[in-house]
Amino acid sequence: MDTDQTQPRTAVVTGASSGIGAATARALAAQGFRVVCAARRSDRIEELAAEIGGVAVTCDITDDASVEALAAAVPECHVLVNNAGGAIGTDRVDGADLDAWRWMYDVNVLGLVRVTRALLPALRASGDGVIVNVGSTAGRWAYEGGGGYTAAKHGVKVVSETLRLELNGEPIRVCEVAPGMVRTDEFSLKRFGGDQEKADAVYAGVEAPLLAEDVADAISWVATRPSHVDIDELVIKPRAQAAAHKVHRG
Ligand code: 8X3
C-alpha cells in the first residue's frame, strides 16, 4: 500500500510518563514521528508531548474503555511501542502474593494484548506497521524471587511470537526488545514498594547499568529499519551483566 510520505508517521508509546517510555517518545520524535504519549499520569505526558511536539492521551492499559478511547484517537499508527509494565515484589513461589502476580500479568501481558488488539486496525491502515513489545531478560531467565515478573515477561515473549505468526503476510512487523539491568527512577522503587535503599541495592557497584535512553535508542533503531527487515528479538544488557546472576560489581 502506498502511504502519504508528506505526513509525519505516527507512533504510539504506552507508559510514556517516565523511564524507557518517555525516552522512547523523545527518540521517536527525534526521528520525525508524531508521537502519541499514552499513560495514566496526564500532567507528565502533557509536559512531554509539549516538549516533543506530540500528543498526550491519558490511558490506563488495564481498562477496556480507556484503551478504546486511545484507539479512537489514532486512526493510523505506524509504530506501536508496548512499553507499559512493571514488577511488584520479590516473593518466592512458596510465598507468592497472588494479587501482585495477578497485577503483573494484567499489566505486562493483558495490557499489551488489549492495546495491540485495539490498535491493529490503525497499524493495518498505515500500510507498514511495527509493533515493538518491551519485554525483558526476565522473559529469558528465571531467578529466585522473580517468579511473578519472569512468568509475565515470558508471556510477553510468547505473545510476541504468536502475533508474528498470526500477522504473517500482513505489512506489520513484530519485535520484542528485551532489556536487562536498566537504571530508571521508578522500576525498582515500585518493585520494592518505595524502599529507596532496596531499589539502589539492585545497581550497587555496577559501573554503568543501562539507562532509559540506551533502550530507547534500540527501540528507535528497530522501528526505523526498512520495511522488509524484521528484527524479531533484541536483548540488550549493560556490559557488566552476563546473566541474571552474573553481574560484575566493583
Ligand atoms: C528488568 C530486568 O533483571 O530486574 O526487566 O528482572 S530484571
Side-chain angles (χ1 to χ4, degrees):
M1 187 192 296
D2 285 337
T3 51
D4 182 354
Q5 300 296 333
T6 60
Q7 295 297 319
R9 290 169 300 158
T10 296
V12 174
V13 180
T14 67
S17 53
S18 70
I20 293 170
T24 299
R26 289 192 177 95
L28 292 174
Q31 292 287 336
F33 286 92
R34 169 184 169 270
V35 182
V36 177
C37 307
R40 283 173 305 172
R41 290 176 289 185
S42 310
D43 52 336
R44 288 195 177 215
I45 52 172
E46 276 161 17
E47 204 176 306
L48 176 62
E51 175 197 321
I52 64 176
V55 177
V57 176
T58 306
C59 179
D60 175 355
I61 64 161
T62 66
D63 182 81
D64 285 340
S66 185
V67 170
E68 277 160 26
L70 169 66
V74 187
E76 199 173 288
C77 175
H78 296 82
V79 174
L80 166 61
V81 182
N82 280 309
N83 162 73
I88 294 183
T90 51
D91 46 315
R92 292 161 48 104
V93 174
D94 62 8
D97 172 348
L98 296 187
D99 286 338
W101 284 51
R102 197 173 288 115
W103 181 87
M104 287 186 272
Y105 194 80
D106 202 17
V107 172
N108 291 291
V109 183
L110 300 185
L112 176 152
V113 171
R114 185 178 287 106
V115 172
T116 302
R117 189 180 61 180
L119 283 174
L120 268 173
L123 285 153
R124 289 191 174 105
S126 78
D128 186 14
V130 184
I131 299 169
V132 183
N133 292 332
V134 179
S136 171
T137 50
R140 303 294 186 287
W141 310 322
Y143 56 89
E144 302 94 319
Y149 183 61
T150 56
K153 285 299 191 182
H154 277 76
V156 170
K157 179 180 194 294
V158 175
V159 168
S160 303
E161 290 171 1
T162 305
L163 197 54
R164 192 176 303 115
L165 293 168
E166 291 175 354
L167 295 179
N168 182 241
E170 296 199 51
I172 302 175
R173 289 166 278 167
V174 181
C175 173
E176 183 205 0
V177 171
M181 183 182 281
V182 187
R183 183 167 202 152
T184 60
D185 292 339
E186 294 187 348
F187 177 81
S188 291
L189 198 60
K190 183 172 177 64
R191 181 171 214 172
F192 291 105
D195 186 329
Q196 189 70 59
E197 217 170 297
K198 281 188 181 166
D200 289 346
V202 172
Y203 315 101
V206 178
E207 191 187 348
L210 293 180
L211 298 177
E213 289 72 20
D214 298 315
V215 182
D217 184 40
I219 292 170
S220 168
W221 180 78
V222 163
T224 53
R225 292 311 84 213
S227 304
H228 67 291
V229 179
D230 179 280
I231 310 296
D232 279 1
E233 299 181 359
L234 194 156
V235 177
I236 174 170
K237 305 180 280 79
R239 186 175 59 190
Q241 184 178 38
H245 294 85
K246 183 80 178 168
V247 178
H248 179 74
R249 298 179 193 268

